[in-house]
Amino acid sequence: MLQSLKNTARLTLKELRAIRADKVMLVLIFYVFTVATYMVADAISTEINDLAVAVVDEDQSPLSQHLTDAIRAPMFKTPDSLTPDQAEAALKVGGYVLVVSFPPEMERDLRAGRATTIKIDADTTAIAQAGNGATFLQQLLAAELSAWAAPSGANTTSLVSVVFRNLFNPNLTSKWFTSVMELMNSITILTLILAGASLIREREHGTIEHVLVMPVRPHEIVLSKIAANGAVILAASVFSLVVVVEWIIGVPIGGSLWLFVLGTAVYVVAVAALGLMLASFTHTMGQFGLLIIPVIIVMILLSGGMTPMESMPDWLQTLMKLISPAPHFVAFAQGVLYRGAGASVLAPEIGAMAAMAGVALTVVVARFRKVLS
């Protein structure tokens, strides 16, 4: 037992030295966990800012002009005045995200107590901006109409008011979401690539033969590769979370950092074992690259991080939770980082990842026994 631990430790040091010698891989790790995380979080935004709006004013009254003047920066650009035909053509070519149409005799109808309809056409090809922009614009117009009608005592609003309350991200800041999702995706991608590349590199450099003549067993080789590559990924992910996500981007971390480290370590073991297993079926880095790309795409797209798991068919949800640790890691990370959940709440997710790690380790050790025999 003691000799086995010593062998594993020596092999782990060998793997760490191999990673240190691979300058390109070190640059890739640094880039993904710092620059890429920040750029994606900063560039991808769903907040409303300078939204292109046009107005079709068929009323030409002081009220319609007052409502038009209320549509202004920073959420909206200064609205252009169009005819109905021009507005229809502009929407077809994507000239405006929102087009507001004031009907004829709008002010006179309101003063006489008659109902009227203000139409907002949204270009939903820009789905997030159109949806959020239409909501903000609707609230803006309702508020301006209420203020206009207040002196006369007229009621232009519904008796029912709807109040929204946003938990865990009160201002719906997209950086809070994209930065954490980018970090989780980076952990998945680099763990798979690093673990698999460590085996392919041994084959391409011919050093696997040296390992074969050493008095070591397959599980020691597997554990050393997972320990070395997992430690690098875990350290880089903690650095990225604290320095880039929390300090630079300003995302508040709701839960325990140590609990995040624990769950991430379990996930890294499961994913690294999967990477080694996939690498055991290939002989070159090119083959491994072709094999790993679809695996990464499926793991990320169907993890629940980019779209809710509830939007998937029931059978697909069940399948992904059985074969991939990614959905459990996304649920775990969102729970500990956003909601501040504790270990008791997240125990099922950690347990599921640990069970998958155990299965993956068993399979990959069996594969190594066969490959090295």
Side-chain angles (χ1 to χ4, degrees):
M1 182 64 181
L2 182 59
Q3 185 59 42
S4 178
L5 291 176
K6 289 181 178 178
N7 290 338
T8 301
R10 293 191 185 101
L11 289 168
T12 300
L13 291 176
K14 180 186 75 68
E15 293 295 331
L16 286 172
R17 284 195 291 268
I19 294 173
R20 186 184 61 183
D22 194 338
K23 305 300 183 187
V24 175
M25 191 61 72
L26 290 177
V27 171
L28 176 64
I29 293 171
F30 177 80
Y31 168 79
V32 169
F33 281 102
T34 55
V35 179
T37 300
Y38 179 80
M39 288 177 62
V40 170
D42 189 61
I44 300 176
S45 173
T46 57
E47 280 94 6
I48 305 304
N49 189 33
D50 286 338
L51 209 62
V53 181
V55 171
V56 178
D57 188 356
E58 296 182 282
D59 188 29
Q60 296 295 323
S61 66
L63 174 59
S64 63
Q65 186 59 50
H66 174 74
L67 295 177
T68 301
D69 292 340
I71 304 172
R72 54 179 178 261
M75 286 188 177
F76 307 100
K77 292 181 178 177
T78 302
D80 295 328
S81 181
L82 304 177
T83 66
D85 291 338
Q86 288 173 333
E88 185 177 353
L91 280 172
K92 288 181 179 177
V93 298
Y96 300 92
V97 178
L98 299 171
V99 175
V100 185
S101 300
F102 300 122
E105 309 298 332
M106 177 182 68
E107 182 173 351
R108 193 172 70 175
D109 287 345
L110 287 176
R111 289 188 182 280
R114 293 190 291 269
T116 188
T117 302
I118 297 175
K119 186 173 67 172
I120 300 176
D121 292 312
D123 179 4
T124 54
T125 54
I127 185 167
Q129 286 79 7
N132 294 336
T135 301
F136 283 123
L137 187 55
Q138 186 179 15
Q139 294 173 351
L140 171 68
L141 295 177
E144 292 297 327
L145 283 169
S146 297
W148 171 80
S152 64
N155 182 15
T156 61
T157 60
S158 171
L159 294 175
V160 179
S161 62
V162 179
V163 178
F164 292 95
R165 190 163 68 99
N166 302 311
L167 299 175
F168 314 121
N169 189 353
N171 296 321
L172 298 177
T173 307
S174 61
K175 288 182 182 179
W176 291 20
F177 174 79
T178 53
S179 58
V180 173
M181 289 301 108
E182 175 64 14
L183 176 60
M184 286 190 279
N185 292 340
S186 298
I187 292 172
T188 301
I189 294 170
L190 285 185
T191 304
L192 279 169
I193 292 176
L194 272 181
S198 66
L199 176 60
I200 301 297
R201 188 167 49 228
E202 297 263 20
R203 283 178 167 169
E204 290 186 340
H205 293 176
T207 54
I208 191 69
E209 286 77 9
H210 299 168
V211 176
L212 290 175
V213 297
M214 294 170 62
V216 295
R217 288 173 288 185
H219 74 271
E220 296 169 354
I221 299 174
V222 170
L223 291 178
S224 66
K225 291 185 179 298
I226 291 176
N229 293 287
V232 171
I233 294 296
L234 195 58
S237 63
V238 172
F239 173 82
S240 179
L241 177 66
V242 174
V243 176
V244 179
V245 175
E246 188 174 19
W247 290 358
I248 297 179
I249 300 177
V251 180
I253 305 302
S256 166
L257 180 61
W258 290 111
L259 181 58
F260 175 77
V261 171
L262 172 64
T264 304
V266 176
Y267 177 68
V268 164
V269 171
V271 176
L274 177 61
L276 284 173
M277 184 178 67
L278 294 174
S280 69
F281 290 99
T282 61
H283 299 279
T284 66
M285 200 64 79
Q287 290 177 335
F288 178 66
L290 291 174
L291 181 62
I292 205 70
I293 288 174
V295 174
I296 290 174
I297 291 174
V298 171
M299 283 186 69
I300 291 178
L301 291 182
L302 301 182
S303 66
M306 304 186 72
T307 57
M309 290 290 290
E310 291 74 13
S311 65
M312 303 177 192
D314 292 340
W315 67 269
L316 189 56
Q317 293 182 41
T318 304
L319 179 65
M320 289 307 299
K321 289 179 180 176
L322 286 176
I323 67 172
S324 173
H328 301 285
F329 182 59
V330 168
F332 162 80
Q334 290 178 341
V336 69
L337 296 180
Y338 289 136
R339 305 183 185 93
S344 59
V345 176
L346 300 172
E349 305 299 343
I350 298 175
M353 290 189 291
M356 291 184 181
V359 173
L361 279 173
T362 303
V363 174
V364 76
V365 169
R367 279 289 306 166
F368 263 62
R369 286 198 179 99
K370 184 177 180 180
V371 171
L372 300 179
S373 62

